[in-house]
Amino acid sequence: MRRGGCLCGGVRYEIPGEVTPAVACHCSQCARTSGSFAVMTSCRGEDLVLTTADTLAWFTSSPGTERGFCTRCGGNLFWKRAGDAEIFVTAGTLDQPTGVRLAEHIFVASKSDYYEITDGLPQKPEW
Ligand SMILES: [Zn+2]
Ligand SMILES: [Zn+2]
């Protein structure tokens, strides 16, 4: 059982099922919501159990795509796309030990210019 939540505790969740290896997304939307690139793991939508969601809100960042965040502390928590069976969860909001490893970088073509990716993991220009 994995657990996680935002900085202020207004959003807490549990994931009883499996999670995927994490991806680091370097798209401009993740940068503007997270402050930098976002590392996300994913699970089946029904495996994300919200135990506290007092301050959770959803922002439609593009048609059919929603980002879940905390309205009190600003924590970037979730990403989901209409019709998908999976939901993405930011790895940094998981309690440790996460049991998650970073596997690849995506949307590298749109990353910002202030850093380089040097960990040797696969890099994809988009998905
Ligand atoms: Zn919060
Ligand atoms: Zn992104």
Side-chain angles (χ1 to χ4, degrees), residues 19-76:
V19 299
T20 61
V23 297
C25 183
H26 298 266
C27 81
S28 60
Q29 293 192 351
C30 284
R32 291 193 187 277
T33 54
S34 301
S36 193
F37 61 86
V39 178
M40 297 188 175
T41 183
S42 68
C43 66
R44 294 187 308 166
E46 60 264 36
D47 279 343
L48 178 68
V49 180
L50 295 170
T51 52
T52 306
D54 298 344
T55 57
L56 179 63
W58 292 92
F59 172 67
T60 302
S61 53
S62 46
T65 301
E66 290 185 295
R67 292 168 182 271
F69 66 100
C70 174
T71 56
R72 186 161 56 202
C73 72
N76 176 25

Side-chain angles (χ1 to χ4, degrees), residues 6 8 11 13 25 32 45 53 56 63 74 77 81 85 88 113 120 124:
C6 65
C8 76
V11 182
Y13 61 82
C25 183
R32 291 193 187 277
L56 179 63
L77 292 145
R81 192 164 51 184
F88 285 79
D113 59 6
K124 296 178 179 174

